[in-house]
Amino acid sequence: MPAPRSRPAAALVLVSALAALGLGPAAGPAAAATVPVGAGSYSDTRPAGTSGPTTDTGTPVTPKVTPAAQGKPVPTNDWWSSLAFQRYGGNPYSTPMYGHPLTYQAVAGGLEIGYPTSPAVVGDGRQYEFAHKRDLTLGLTGLNSPDTRADAWSDWTVTPYWSDGARTLRTTIGHGLPFVYAKGSGGDARITTAEPPAVFADQGNVLGITVAGHHYALFAPTGTDWNVSGATVTAGLGGKDYFSVAVLPSTDALATYRKYAYSFVTGSTVNWSYDAGTVRATYTLTTEAKEGTERGTLQALYRHQWLHTADPLTPYAYVSPRGTMKVRESASFTTSQRAAATLPALPGAGVDPARLRGHLNEVANAADPFSGAVDTYWTGKALGKLAQLVPLADQIGEGAIRDKLLGLIKTRLQDWFTAGGANEFSYDRTWKALTGYPASYGSDTELNDHHFHYGYYVYAAAIVAQYDPAWAADSAWGAMVKTLVRDTANPSRTDSAFPFLRGFDVYAGHSWASGHQGFAAGNNQESSSESTNLSAALVLWGAATGDTQLRDLGSYLLTTEGEAVAQYWFDADQQVFPAAFQHDTVGMVWGSGAAYSTWWTANPEEIHGINVLPVTGGSLQLGGRKDAVRRNIAEMERENGGPAVEWRDILWEFQSLADPGAAKAKWDAGNAGYTPEAGESKAHTYHWLTALDTLGAPDATVTGSIPTSAVFTKGTTRTYVAHNHGTTARTVTFSDGRSLSVPARSTATGTGAGTTDPGPGPSTGDTFQLRTGGALTTAGGAAAGGDTIASAQGANHDGTPYRPLVYEARGVDGTLRSGGSTAFRLQVDAGTTVGLGQQARVSYDLTGDGTFDRTETYQYFATDPVTGWEEYGQSRGLKSATGTLGDLRGGTVRLEVWSAIGNGDARLQTGTDRSVLVIPYD
């Protein structure tokens, strides 16, 4: 079955010296038919009988940009791409664009603005949407432009441009921006509303209005005045050319928003880093002061962002299709996450070599290992299937099978990486895009899905590079691999040949599949897992070739999108999908919402499986939320009327990320009579399920010091795995203090010898001290310390952990004490801050399987505004409890402490027997 199908695109000219290394198309006024790139080549003219980007009627289309943007690589596959890619010829403006919290649509008279807050559940309950609905239109008096063009853009903002010959208008809009910043000439500022507005504040050049229940503030230059006449609001600009509009979270926010109304956003940039298992990203807006000196601003963070930032947030929030957005009062913020694990392959723990050898030969000796694949997508899937098996053959000493598979992969890659044959890559100078022909699913006419298709090629090339570094050299075939990377995930903003990160939306946290974004529901992405396949491939390719820039880019993309997928596709915290939407997962995410569907089928197996395949060593991040995996599988079986039948291998592998034993039992019962999914094989599925059944599920709470490392937990045993692509041995350290010696060009597996910090380990006794860094331990003798309890930021979080401190003990054995109950004493201090309250929650996972069987939330403790430790204990009373206690067998005990109320940080003492948790176990 085909994978996610939507629409995307871009490309130009660099220098001929770089072209030889695959670093850019050759420069020059007359294009050669074939551009050499290392040992390979691509064409700069499409094969006969093929097409590039077109309208829906087949007419060739060029980027719809202003002269100022002419020649620059256009970011196709973005949330605003319909401004530049006029797929539907009857609309020269744009389709709805979902910036969040605001929505936009360009029209002849300016920019429609909406703030949808009430979701609709449509399509027999299979889709929810916060569809664009105009509250007002921002424009100029008399403006009647024949089209709207993209004038400028940055990482998550864009500037649409209108001109009718007498008047010009530019607006800057973006993800997370509550403001629309406007510059106009030839007319007064004009706001037309969907209904006559209710005015709640009139301060001359600042006007507060309510339209359809939504509050807006209009800001004109100082010394001017807004005039309201029915549904039209106008203001002369007093010789200036600027004004702005903001959507307010409440009417009492007007003063705060007024402070930043003239600090116009001029650009947006993300910078990322990888450091010893941690991915950090800083999101920064640049601004220009139109009046005064204020250069700060307000920006709304998506859930996947505010969950992972320690930066202070305001009490303000917005509704969005991605759940609550929270507002930060600053021009930047930083997120920090544990890096997603990536391995070339799972270790062969528990695998029967003879059985695996038989399954490997089924593929290697097949009459057509590529199953008739012709186009880029299906060829990619076949390459991925073969590449998965190379390390498995190597693990069991089957060098002949390994080399045969490598030969098949190299031959097919080299065929595609050489122009002039039945298949090739062709560069479009107008759109600055590299398209493979034969194309499929609109990868040519709509510039869709390049990241889906090419991710398989990069992944296969990375596996080849692991075993044959010479093949991956720039002078050989590596330069062509880099050219595919530049088309899909270019890290450069100054590359004149390809756009920056074509498919990946850095602020939304995930990729988009459609090149043109020409839908009423905005852009879309179905197979998030084929997107993360490219990210994991970048990690492996970068590690194998020594390109740490690409390796770290891959880690940032994989980690960021992994969290976005957990929240927006799988609703892992059950805080995103509207209550009326009765599904636990979606097949597709749209700008306006999400849908329990695919492009090609309503089969539940494929709706659930399309966001899992291909299953590789880059899929381990899917196991970070085991409850979500279990809900996902349970819903699939309900919708399917029983266990999977068609894509059973994909869904067994997915289930194994949470419940390896149960998934392996399904394989044991049903492996004989099924046909593998097109990108899968019985060899890989058997190896995957057996390895996880032996090692346990992936443990995302522990990270290694290199991206190609992972941890697995079964009962009380953690197994540490790392692959060293380098030519010398190295020691990989893990965040729990364990370490692993890894020989050169090898994978190592162990239980963490050479421990630098033993941590709490399997616990004995019932009294646990807290340690800075997140451990609960029965050991004493530590120095007193303290951790900061983050502010509640003025909101009420009574009963719900908010940015909590988390302390855990794993591998705990104990017999429940009859009549016993949890006890604790925690030393807390609010300093001199008034009105703070700290709260604690204690959770018990009785078997260490990732599911908490008992959770106890205690009433919060109101601290006094006097410096000095105060003692918070269980005597405050139990607020709520779920589940039942039982004996601990390799279990996990967790303590969470957070600020339930107040607007200031507090402190929690660690390292002493004055702050302890006492569990009711012998």
Side-chain angles (χ1 to χ4, degrees), residues 690-713:
T690 303
L692 288 184
D693 185 42
T694 304
L695 299 171
D699 185 345
T701 67
V702 182
T703 54
S705 58
I706 61 173
T708 51
S709 60
V711 179
F712 304 86
T713 298

Side-chain angles (χ1 to χ4, degrees), residues 111-134:
L111 184 68
E112 288 186 359
I113 301 171
Y115 174 41
T117 53
S118 298
V121 176
V122 298
D124 295 327
R126 298 170 71 89
Q127 180 168 350
Y128 76 85
E129 57 182 14
F130 292 75
H132 168 69
K133 183 179 181 181
R134 167 183 172 265

Side-chain angles (χ1 to χ4, degrees), residues 401-789:
I401 299 176
R402 176 201 64 203
D403 293 344
K404 184 172 185 178
L405 293 167
L406 285 170
L408 290 168
I409 295 167
K410 289 178 186 178
T411 299
R412 188 57 60 98
L413 284 175
Q414 290 166 200
D415 186 25
W416 275 90
F417 288 171
T418 304
N423 36 249
E424 66 178 23
F425 286 96
S426 175
Y427 181 73
D428 187 317
R429 292 179 178 273
T430 301
W431 281 98
K432 308 194 184 339
L434 191 73
T435 301
Y437 292 92
S440 52
Y441 306 112
S443 61
D444 50 355
T445 56
E446 303 176 52
L447 293 175
N448 296 339
D449 301 354
H450 283 203
H451 58 319
F452 294 159
H453 297 209
Y454 303 171
Y456 288 106
Y457 290 71
V458 178
Y459 171 76
I463 296 298
V464 173
Q466 180 178 327
Y467 293 92
D468 187 355
W471 183 92
D474 283 345
S475 58
W477 301 96
M480 272 300 295
V481 178
K482 289 182 178 180
T483 306
L484 266 65
V485 170
R486 287 172 62 224
D487 178 78
T488 53
N490 188 5
S492 172
R493 297 179 183 84
T494 58
D495 187 340
S496 62
F498 296 96
F500 171 69
L501 295 180
R502 178 190 304 281
F504 192 79
D505 186 326
V506 295
Y507 204 87
H510 60 80
S511 297
W512 296 111
S514 168
H516 57 74
Q517 184 261 311
F519 305 99
N523 213 324
N524 71 90
Q525 180 160 265
E526 186 180 61
S527 184
S528 60
S529 50
E530 286 183 301
S531 178
T532 57
N533 183 50
L534 171 61
S535 303
L538 293 176
V539 173
L540 297 177
W541 173 261
T545 61
D547 189 335
T548 56
Q549 181 193 38
L550 284 183
R551 182 202 70 178
D552 294 354
L553 168 63
S555 190
Y556 162 67
L557 297 178
L558 182 63
T559 302
T560 304
E561 190 154 20
E563 179 65 12
V565 170
Q567 296 297 332
Y568 311 139
W569 274 259
F570 298 158
D571 198 17
D573 297 332
Q574 298 181 290
Q575 296 292 314
V576 172
F577 296 172
F581 181 68
Q582 298 297 302
H583 291 282
D584 290 316
T585 190
V586 294
M588 304 173 68
V589 161
W590 288 87
S592 65
Y596 186 77
S597 64
T598 72
W599 278 105
W600 79 95
T601 182
N603 179 358
E605 296 184 32
E606 292 164 73
I607 291 172
H608 289 256
I610 195 58
N611 285 293
V612 177
L613 62 79
V615 177
T616 73
S619 304
L620 299 175
Q621 44 83 24
L622 290 170
R625 304 297 181 87
K626 293 177 175 55
D627 285 351
V629 174
R630 294 185 182 106
R631 289 196 303 271
N632 194 308
I633 293 293
E635 179 178 23
M636 183 279 295
E637 293 185 348
R638 288 194 307 271
E639 294 283 331
N640 205 43
V645 176
E646 293 183 36
W647 280 9
R648 62 182 76 179
D649 44 4
I650 298 296
L651 294 162
W652 289 337
E653 290 169 314
F654 183 41
Q655 184 175 14
S656 72
L657 297 170
D659 297 307
K664 178 62 162 49
K666 289 180 178 178
W667 159 268
D668 291 338
N671 70 80
Y674 81 96
T675 300
E677 187 272 333
E680 260 299 341
S681 64
K682 288 189 176 182
H684 179 259
T685 301
Y686 164 67
H687 181 280
W688 179 275
L689 295 175
T690 303
L692 288 184
D693 185 42
T694 304
L695 299 171
D699 185 345
T701 67
V702 182
T703 54
S705 58
I706 61 173
T708 51
S709 60
V711 179
F712 304 86
T713 298
K714 184 172 185 178
T716 62
T717 302
R718 276 184 178 153
T719 300
Y720 303 80
V721 181
H723 185 85
N724 175 14
H725 284 90
T727 56
T728 59
R730 66 177 301 166
T731 296
V732 176
T733 58
F734 291 84
S735 58
D736 63 352
R738 306 285 174 170
S739 62
L740 190 64
S741 179
V742 190
R745 300 172 61 81
S746 299
T747 296
T749 303
T751 55
T755 305
T756 57
D757 175 4
S763 301
T764 59
D766 65 352
T767 302
F768 294 82
Q769 292 184 14
L770 287 59
R771 293 285 189 268
T772 294
L776 291 173
T777 177
T778 55
D787 288 339
T788 298
I789 308 172

